[in-house]
Amino acid sequence: MSPAARNLAVGALAAISLWGCSARPDTPPDAQPEKRAYVVSGRVPRDPRAKGGEDPVVTMTETVVDHQPAGPDGAGLYESPLSADGAFRFDEIPPGRYIARLIPAPPGANPVTIVVGHEDVTGVEIPIPLTVTVSGKVDVEGNGLTPRFTLAFGGASIATNGTARFTVDIREGEHRVRVAGLPQGYSVQALTYGPIDLLTDPLRIAADQPPQDLVVKLGVSNPPPWVRVRGRLTRTGQPATISGRNQLALVGINVKDRYEAAIRQDGSFEFPRVLPGKYNARLVPEIAGMNPVGLTVEHEDVDDWKIALPRPEIRVRVAVAGGGPPPNFQLIFYDVPLSSADPAITANRAIPMQSDGVFTTNLPPGEYARIEPHGLPRGYTVKSFTDGATDLLKRPLKVDGRNSKQLVLTIAKAP
């Protein structure tokens, strides 16, 4: 048993929670019990093989159904320290039906039902089975793509993340193991734990025995079910690259799979093996203005998938000569083409200032000779407007449609 599993078995006993599942029993008119609340006590058995752990806190919470909470001040919440030997005790508990559990719940620790009538309830036990951390691996026939699926161990399960290795905490005892959620085209060829064939025999876990490797061998249909997806990033119809952003993720919509591919210098990418299904593509990390792009993969290769990127962002930072926050105003870009098909059709575009004193927009390729502030408060004037070394008060802004721009607009306030 790994140290992490031992610590979880003992140290994770952060709380016991009890909440009622029904109203308190009615008391006959002629029966007047001496007490209206009672003691609930018990212990959390500690396995001698488990070591370590922190001092936990035990809580008991009543969930009411058709009556008001009966706990202190109507809160229905009770707390008790857990002693060194695992004992706990709650006083002043009204009659009712409760469920006791550990919070957070260690693996294999099941809730316990407690019924409080008109006497104290003692000897309650909430056992915690020991767990063993088991390492596993997935072997796919022909060194194929590792799919995502679920391994079920009796009442517990783990969802693999599509990688060849995984770990899982399994409680001590015997378990029937099954594989669920395999994508179409995969089949289980073998399922073993050391020398044990788990397709015919149960998995036997003992905390005092060294764990074995749990191996899942998968076969694939012939021919294999996956296909190749190739494509290219474009911007305004031309090949595009993204500086510093070199991954494209393909995330399944109706399948569990996720793939990532590097973006080459020319903007091209390739996913060599993709399972049929519906996917969304997104850049990693994402860029502003780009929504996920859908793709349906069937049973044939995709060799010319074009993903259009938004136009590069134009950012205008406002600086105030002498320091201080900038006033609020708008920035107008004049004669912005409305369509790349007919650049002669233009309109003026007014951009509001963001809270950080920055204007952002996307512009089609071209030259912009008029960019002017609108609503600049009285007393402020434009001191300079630059695109790197280019003076935009004298020269037009040139946008190539491929590269972002970082402009600086400096304003001054009259003394």
Side-chain angles (χ1 to χ4, degrees), residues 41-275:
S41 64
R43 60 187 297 269
V44 177
R46 298 177 184 265
D47 192 294
R49 292 170 294 176
K51 298 179 181 179
E54 302 175 357
D55 293 333
V57 174
V58 183
T59 65
M60 184 169 75
T61 306
E62 180 186 20
T63 299
V64 299
V65 177
D66 57 4
H67 64 280
Q68 293 297 316
D73 301 321
L77 174 66
Y78 311 84
E79 292 188 358
S80 166
L82 191 66
S83 65
D85 64 352
F88 60 88
R89 175 188 172 101
F90 297 97
D91 296 312
E92 300 297 321
I93 304 300
R97 185 179 180 88
Y98 299 85
I99 296 176
R101 66 184 70 208
L102 301 172
I103 300 177
N110 296 319
V112 175
T113 299
I114 299 174
V115 177
V116 179
H118 295 283
E119 60 183 4
D120 295 340
V121 178
T122 60
V124 177
E125 287 196 352
I126 306 178
I128 305 174
L130 287 178
T131 60
V132 174
T133 300
V134 173
S135 297
K137 66 176 181 177
V138 182
D139 289 337
V140 181
E141 181 183 21
N143 194 30
L145 186 71
T146 303
R148 299 187 180 194
F149 58 91
T150 299
L151 276 174
F153 307 90
S157 64
I158 177 178
T160 66
N161 58 6
T163 60
R165 302 290 309 189
F166 62 89
T167 59
V168 56
D169 290 331
I170 306 176
R171 63 182 177 86
E172 194 174 39
E174 288 192 358
H175 311 273
R176 284 289 178 179
V177 183
R178 62 185 182 89
V179 176
L182 275 177
Q184 183 178 0
Y186 286 91
S187 61
V188 179
Q189 288 186 333
L191 184 60
T192 59
Y193 182 68
I196 302 174
D197 182 357
L198 299 180
L199 295 178
T200 58
D201 298 321
L203 171 66
R204 296 179 176 87
I205 295 294
D208 54 359
Q209 296 293 325
Q212 307 283 333
D213 251 2
L214 198 160
V215 180
V216 183
K217 292 186 177 181
L218 300 178
V220 295
S221 59
N222 188 20
W226 49 76
V227 299
R228 182 184 65 234
V229 175
R230 288 176 174 172
R232 184 183 301 273
L233 302 182
T234 65
R235 181 177 278 125
T236 62
Q238 301 299 318
T241 58
I242 301 180
S243 177
R245 305 177 190 271
N246 59 354
Q247 293 289 324
L248 184 67
L250 201 58
V251 183
I253 299 175
N254 64 341
V255 293
K256 297 181 179 180
D257 301 280
R258 173 191 172 101
Y259 313 98
E260 290 190 356
I263 300 175
R264 304 185 184 98
Q265 289 293 323
D266 61 356
S268 64
F269 55 85
E270 178 178 342
F271 298 92
R273 289 178 292 190
V274 176
L275 289 171

Side-chain angles (χ1 to χ4, degrees), residues 289-313:
M290 181 175 179
N291 297 320
V293 181
L295 174 69
T296 298
V297 178
E298 297 181 344
H299 297 282
E300 295 181 356
D301 293 343
V302 178
D303 288 323
D304 192 25
W305 185 28
K306 291 183 174 61
I307 298 180
L309 301 180
R311 293 188 179 100
E313 190 174 59

Side-chain angles (χ1 to χ4, degrees), residues 254-388:
N254 64 341
V255 293
K256 297 181 179 180
D257 301 280
R258 173 191 172 101
Y259 313 98
E260 290 190 356
I263 300 175
R264 304 185 184 98
Q265 289 293 323
D266 61 356
S268 64
F269 55 85
E270 178 178 342
F271 298 92
R273 289 178 292 190
V274 176
L275 289 171
K278 294 182 179 180
Y279 296 87
N280 275 333
R282 62 184 73 225
L283 291 176
V284 180
E286 297 182 354
I287 64 173
M290 181 175 179
N291 297 320
V293 181
L295 174 69
T296 298
V297 178
E298 297 181 344
H299 297 282
E300 295 181 356
D301 293 343
V302 178
D303 288 323
D304 192 25
W305 185 28
K306 291 183 174 61
I307 298 180
L309 301 180
R311 293 188 179 100
E313 190 174 59
I314 309 298
R315 292 175 57 86
V316 182
R317 180 175 62 85
V318 179
V320 179
N328 188 37
F329 61 95
Q330 291 184 327
L331 197 62
I332 298 181
F333 290 78
Y334 288 84
D335 302 322
V336 178
L338 295 178
S339 171
S340 57
D342 189 355
I345 303 176
T346 65
N348 301 334
R349 182 183 298 179
I351 310 299
M353 178 186 287
Q354 299 176 176
S355 59
D356 57 356
V358 174
F359 297 94
T360 62
T361 188
N362 302 100
L363 297 174
E367 293 189 0
Y368 299 88
R370 289 187 63 194
I371 308 172
E372 298 177 1
H374 175 71
L376 194 64
R378 180 177 299 180
Y380 283 93
T381 59
V382 174
K383 183 177 182 180
S384 64
F385 193 16
T386 58
D387 173 18

